[in-house]
Amino acid sequence: MAQTLRCVDCNASYDLEMESAVCEQCGDTLEVTFERRFSPASDPREQFRWRLASYVPHERSGVWRFRELLPEFDAAQIVSLGEGNAPEFSARGTSAWSGLENLWIKHLGYNPTGSYKDAGMSVAVTRARAASARMVACASTGNTSASLATYAARAGMQAVVILPAAHVTDSKLAQAIDAGALTLTIQGDFDAAMRAVRELAHRGLVYLVNSLNPFRREGQKTVAFEILESRGWRAPDWIVLPGGNLGHCVSLAKGFSEAFEVGFADRMPRIALVQADGAAPFVRAWETHLPLEPVKAETFATAIRIGNPVSWRAALRALDATQGIAVAVSDAKIAEARAVLARDGLGCEPASAAALAGAAELRARNVIASGAEIVVVLTGDSLKDTAAITRYHNDGSARFANPVRPVKGDIASLERAIDGVVA
Ligand SMILES: *Cc1c(COP(=O)(O)O)cnc(C)c1O
Ligand SMILES: [Zn+2]
């Protein structure tokens, strides 16, 4: 059977050659449908493991080693930087701080461009290349543009990225311009950039790779396979992750439910989606069961500073399918959670730490039991936003503040500085 695109809501079906960003009938998101390339009699899970030992980047990639569960591409078309395969850690200080005894940290900041976006981008850019797209484009709070710019550079394609002029960190911008993307900043916020790039795509000028792109979701869903595989294809009780535009949440739920469907997973984990208080339109929609009301987003966690998330309908379905929950946390709690993770050697950018803050909040409310097995998904590397780190440590009232201490360079003053630091 050929691969097709199908609307997740009204089931309208589209030819791949006619790819558009959303369903032309109802405006909801599209999904790639394809035949899985293994029979019920064979189990490719051993192969998934074996491919990890390959020296070929796309063979061992945490996306492409699961290729039996992905749309099919010619190996020569694949654009890969060896993404995925991010490690999962236990963390003592973080466990103690959050009250979660059985806590695991899946750190997607270990990806090639430092954020979770790479897993999906590898497939989206592969698709763009296979479809001979002229230009690939996205709106971004920073990480999508860094990832797209880098993968487009690998593919020899031109990327266009549209960002809000304020509230994008220097390091994310640096990644985009350095890889050769046409980098356009606009006066509005992310939501305005999103509207603009959708219009460009609608006019057929660019191939859109924001998270509503169905191929990006295919790549992103593999994070679920990794989480299952690392515990012998057993699901944890909870997956906790931050949400902005909500594509990640939808993709993870898709991965878990497909793994369950083909009998690779014993059950579905519950998904907890965390937003910042100042950018929590989805949490409101989830709590009230009313259509999402866009808000003017405000939070220092710039990667989730989104007031009108594109994938809110699909995310509601994802939470329903997993008996999930949505919760909002304050910027102060996010900042503290970030510092706690860093003290365990697991630094991350602020948006990622929202997940831990949310997990701690759900533990405090007894929604998550103390012994439950939790995987907190960190989405971005700590060097993505060093300004936020410095600000925290120079804030005298911050609980884990560790400011730089200038001393004279002579041995006596250095000795005085060291004295008593370790009891
Ligand atoms: C993109 C991003 C998010 C939000 O993911 P969505 O799919 O938009 O919900 C969270 N954290 C980081 C670091 C990101 O880059
Ligand atoms: Zn539709």
Side-chain angles (χ1 to χ4, degrees), residues 28 217 245-247 249-250 253 271 273 275 281-293 309-326:
D28 212 325
R217 292 181 179 194
N245 222 12
L246 304 171
C249 168
V250 172
I271 292 183
L273 192 283
Q275 297 197 298
F282 180 75
V283 177
R284 300 288 108 74
W286 187 83
E287 285 171 350
T288 58
H289 301 283
L290 293 172
L292 183 128
E293 283 279 337
V310 167
S311 298
W312 69 268
R313 281 191 198 83
L316 280 181
R317 286 192 289 265
L319 291 199
D320 279 345
T322 64
Q323 296 179 59
I325 191 168

Side-chain angles (χ1 to χ4, degrees), residues 387-403:
I389 299 176
T390 312
R391 230 173 19 247
Y392 178 86
H393 289 288
N394 288 329
D395 171 357
S397 68
R399 183 162 160 207
F400 300 103
N402 181 33

Side-chain angles (χ1 to χ4, degrees), residues 221 223-229 231 233-241 249 251-261 264-273 317-325 368 372-377:
K221 77 185 182 187
V223 172
F225 304 155
E226 285 184 8
I227 290 172
L228 292 167
E229 181 192 50
R231 34 185 58 69
W233 296 93
R234 238 182 11 79
D237 296 308
W238 287 92
I239 301 286
V240 189
L241 76 160
C249 168
S251 308
L252 275 183
K254 186 175 201 294
F256 284 116
S257 72
E258 287 183 14
F260 180 68
E261 233 174 82
F264 289 177
D266 57 335
R267 56 167 182 166
M268 294 283 285
R270 300 178 70 181
I271 292 183
L273 192 283
R317 286 192 289 265
L319 291 199
D320 279 345
T322 64
Q323 296 179 59
I325 191 168
I368 296 183
E373 188 178 1
I374 320 275
V375 177
V376 163
V377 179

Side-chain angles (χ1 to χ4, degrees), residues 146-290:
S147 182
L148 172 59
T150 306
Y151 278 82
R154 291 295 304 164
M157 299 180 76
Q158 181 62 53
V160 186
V161 303
I162 305 179
L163 307 113
H167 309 292
V168 177
T169 70
D170 289 344
S171 46
K172 295 177 187 178
L173 263 183
Q175 287 179 287
I177 57 177
D178 212 23
L182 176 61
T183 304
L184 308 173
T185 58
I186 63 165
Q187 285 314 310
D189 55 10
F190 169 82
D191 301 296
M194 189 70 226
R195 274 195 302 279
V197 79
R198 286 182 76 163
E199 182 56 32
L200 293 178
H202 185 67
R203 296 184 182 196
L205 298 171
V206 297
Y207 181 81
L208 185 65
V209 298
N210 274 101
S211 57
L212 45 81
N213 179 296
F215 290 92
R216 228 182 105 189
R217 292 181 179 194
E218 289 298 311
Q220 204 56 55
K221 77 185 182 187
T222 58
V223 172
F225 304 155
E226 285 184 8
I227 290 172
L228 292 167
E229 181 192 50
S230 70
R231 34 185 58 69
W233 296 93
R234 238 182 11 79
D237 296 308
W238 287 92
I239 301 286
V240 189
L241 76 160
N245 222 12
L246 304 171
H248 197 195
C249 168
V250 172
S251 308
L252 275 183
K254 186 175 201 294
F256 284 116
S257 72
E258 287 183 14
F260 180 68
E261 233 174 82
V262 300
F264 289 177
D266 57 335
R267 56 167 182 166
M268 294 283 285
R270 300 178 70 181
I271 292 183
L273 192 283
V274 188
Q275 297 197 298
D277 276 340
F282 180 75
V283 177
R284 300 288 108 74
W286 187 83
E287 285 171 350
T288 58
H289 301 283
L290 293 172

